[in-house]
Amino acid sequence: DKVNYLESIHKDDFEEFQNQARLVLKEQKEEFTFKPYRVIFEDKTSWVSQISKLIRNDAGEIDQIYGYLTDVTKQVQIEKDLQSYIDIINENVLISTSDTHGHITDCSQAFCRASGYSKSELLGKKHSVLKHKDSSDLMFKELWGTITQGQVWHGEHKNLGKDGKLFWVENSITPSIDKDNKLIKYTSIYNDITTKKEISELLVTDYLTKIHNRRYFNEVFDLEIKRSKRHKYNFILIIIDIDYFKQYNDTYGHHEGDETLIKVAHALKNNLHRPEDYTFRIGGEEFGVITSDITLEGAKTIANILVKEVEKLNIPHESSKISDYLTISAGLKLVEVNEELTYNEIYKLADKALYDAKENGRNRVICSK
């Protein structure tokens, strides 16, 4: 039966079909492939792909246009489903792709929202645009050492959005390798763990001074000892105690004592600038500092700066026998790469050095032998 084919084209696709048909006549290509469009036959809607061929008469004029149709309904549905999945991922999954030099080549809208940057602002940039100043350089060194070997890297890191807002991510970076076993790109999938980290931070933060507490001290101590052995760099523990603090409380009261603990904690933390530096309130008037990958002289310099900066707070302490102002003493233990010492042994050596500092006049640093 003869049918008017134009009448079978879905009304929503008819205008586009006409535009493509006009293009056939304008360009006069011998063969032209239409974009898929919908047709309705016997109340059934199908997607078709059309290849048109021009038939010319003896004068070279277009006499007829033959259209060869292929039912591509299943293919179109698969593509639509795939696009739907891609859209869901784009909107809901934090994902980015970078070249082998670390430049961002693509990223999802979810990643843009989390970072506060638009896609155009991120493309071509390195992920370091999001790096928080507290992020460990050693961690990123380990990251690149892993992925450049074609291995998957998993880890957590702190980021800073365009608006200055902090956000934490759990990151999995997968290298892509071509048929010649050559690295061509890296794909990062992130899980936003900011809320989880905020809750965890409360558990590891000293309620008074807002620096890390004894619980986190034990965690970091164990982690950094293991990491120092793995990467073959030294480990430093500094134990600090406020001089004559009992007398300070007796003279000025416990409220002033608490205020002083806060000031000392901030002075310690604000004078440690490397991502590898950790500050803790271990208990009472005792504080701890853990750092790594530094020489003994460098560690001594850091400890002496802390001692001087606390005295420079100029907190009056009339009950002190060594200064008009509040002071601290510090014991330092540096663990060499080849030293095999346990947690307790390291702590006792640093604590013994602190005791020696107090016995030798206070307001000073003593290093464990």
Side-chain angles (χ1 to χ4, degrees), residues 5-6 9 13-29 32-35 37 50 52 54 62 65:
Y5 180 69
L6 296 179
I9 298 174
D13 294 342
F14 190 76
E15 184 177 351
E16 177 60 26
F17 175 85
Q18 285 183 311
N19 291 335
Q20 293 192 75
R22 293 190 188 101
L23 197 58
V24 171
L25 295 174
K26 178 182 178 182
E27 295 186 356
Q28 295 195 19
K29 293 181 179 179
F32 186 93
T33 302
F34 281 63
K35 295 177 183 177
Y37 59 89
Q50 176 179 333
S52 291
L54 301 181
I62 297 175
I65 301 177

Side-chain angles (χ1 to χ4, degrees), residues 309-324:
E309 289 300 317
V310 168
E311 188 170 19
K312 283 167 62 176
L313 292 173
N314 293 334
I315 300 172
H317 190 351
E318 64 183 46
S319 300
S320 173
K321 299 177 182 179
I322 57 169
S323 174
D324 293 332

Side-chain angles (χ1 to χ4, degrees), residues 217 220-221 224 235-237 276-278 280 288-292:
F217 172 80
V220 172
F221 198 117
E224 289 301 304
F235 169 92
I236 295 98
L237 171 64
E276 296 81 13
D277 301 335
Y278 297 88
F280 312 86
V289 171
I290 289 176
T291 189
S292 57

Side-chain angles (χ1 to χ4, degrees), residues 196-214:
K196 173 186 171 184
K197 278 292 183 180
E198 287 173 347
I199 294 172
S200 298
E201 192 68 24
L202 291 174
L203 297 175
V204 300
T205 301
D206 177 62
Y207 74 97
L208 177 64
T209 62
K210 306 307 178 190
I211 64 173
H212 296 311
N213 60 17
R214 180 61 183 254

Side-chain angles (χ1 to χ4, degrees), residues 49-308:
S49 174
Q50 176 179 333
I51 297 176
S52 291
K53 291 182 178 290
L54 301 181
I55 306 300
R56 301 178 184 273
N57 58 24
D58 293 339
E61 299 169 336
I62 297 175
D63 185 43
Q64 297 180 56
I65 301 177
Y66 276 11
Y68 298 88
L69 304 181
T70 303
D71 188 333
V72 292
T73 305
K74 289 184 178 180
Q75 178 184 335
V76 169
Q77 188 58 51
I78 290 171
E79 290 175 354
K80 287 178 69 175
D81 290 344
L82 179 59
Q83 187 57 52
S84 176
Y85 295 142
I86 291 172
D87 291 342
I88 291 171
I89 291 172
N90 186 47
E91 287 298 319
N92 298 282
V93 180
L94 277 66
I95 185 168
S96 68
T97 305
S98 62
D99 62 22
T100 54
H101 299 291
H103 297 101
I104 299 171
T105 56
D106 198 7
C107 59
S108 66
Q109 285 302 312
F111 184 80
C112 292
R113 285 196 301 273
S115 68
Y117 290 94
S118 67
K119 191 169 185 176
S120 60
E121 289 176 313
L122 288 171
L123 294 182
K125 299 286 196 308
K126 290 190 174 184
H127 287 88
S128 56
V129 70
L130 301 173
K131 184 181 176 183
H132 194 279
K133 64 180 179 62
D134 293 342
S135 297
S136 170
D137 291 334
L138 291 171
M139 183 201 71
F140 286 103
K141 183 179 179 181
E142 180 183 304
L143 181 160
W144 277 101
T146 301
I147 63 176
T148 52
Q149 295 300 314
Q151 300 173 356
V152 177
W153 182 86
H154 301 283
E156 299 176 356
H157 51 86
K158 191 188 299 187
N159 293 318
L160 203 61
K162 183 180 179 181
D163 59 0
K165 187 177 180 181
L166 166 71
F167 67 103
W168 277 90
V169 293
E170 195 174 57
N171 189 1
S172 178
I173 306 176
T174 303
S176 294
I177 299 172
D178 65 12
K179 58 182 178 61
D180 298 319
N181 206 34
K182 181 181 178 182
L183 282 169
I184 54 174
K185 64 179 181 179
Y186 303 110
T187 301
S188 297
I189 298 178
Y190 311 85
N191 180 26
D192 190 328
I193 56 171
T194 305
T195 302
K196 173 186 171 184
K197 278 292 183 180
E198 287 173 347
I199 294 172
S200 298
E201 192 68 24
L202 291 174
L203 297 175
V204 300
T205 301
D206 177 62
Y207 74 97
L208 177 64
T209 62
K210 306 307 178 190
I211 64 173
H212 296 311
N213 60 17
R214 180 61 183 254
R215 173 180 177 176
Y216 194 54
F217 172 80
N218 294 333
E219 290 181 18
V220 172
F221 198 117
D222 183 60
L223 178 67
E224 289 301 304
I225 278 290
K226 290 177 180 176
R227 186 175 290 176
S228 66
K229 291 181 184 296
R230 185 166 65 250
H231 294 287
K232 300 188 183 306
Y233 53 70
N234 55 30
F235 169 92
I236 295 98
L237 171 64
I238 305 172
I239 298 181
I240 296 165
D241 191 77
I242 298 177
D243 296 325
Y244 300 113
F245 189 67
K246 180 183 182 302
Q247 290 84 345
Y248 184 91
N249 274 334
D250 292 342
T251 303
Y252 300 99
H254 287 280
H255 175 73
E256 283 300 316
D258 287 347
E259 290 298 314
T260 295
L261 287 171
I262 293 170
K263 291 175 184 177
V264 171
H266 289 179
L268 298 177
K269 183 175 181 180
N270 293 338
N271 283 282
L272 294 168
H273 306 296
R274 300 190 315 151
E276 296 81 13
D277 301 335
Y278 297 88
T279 314
F280 312 86
R281 182 187 178 198
I282 299 176
E285 69 272 25
E286 192 169 78
F287 298 86
V289 171
I290 289 176
T291 189
S292 57
D293 196 22
I294 190 170
T295 64
L296 178 59
E297 289 305 313
K300 286 181 183 178
T301 298
I302 289 174
N304 278 298
I305 287 173
L306 297 179
V307 169
K308 290 176 182 177

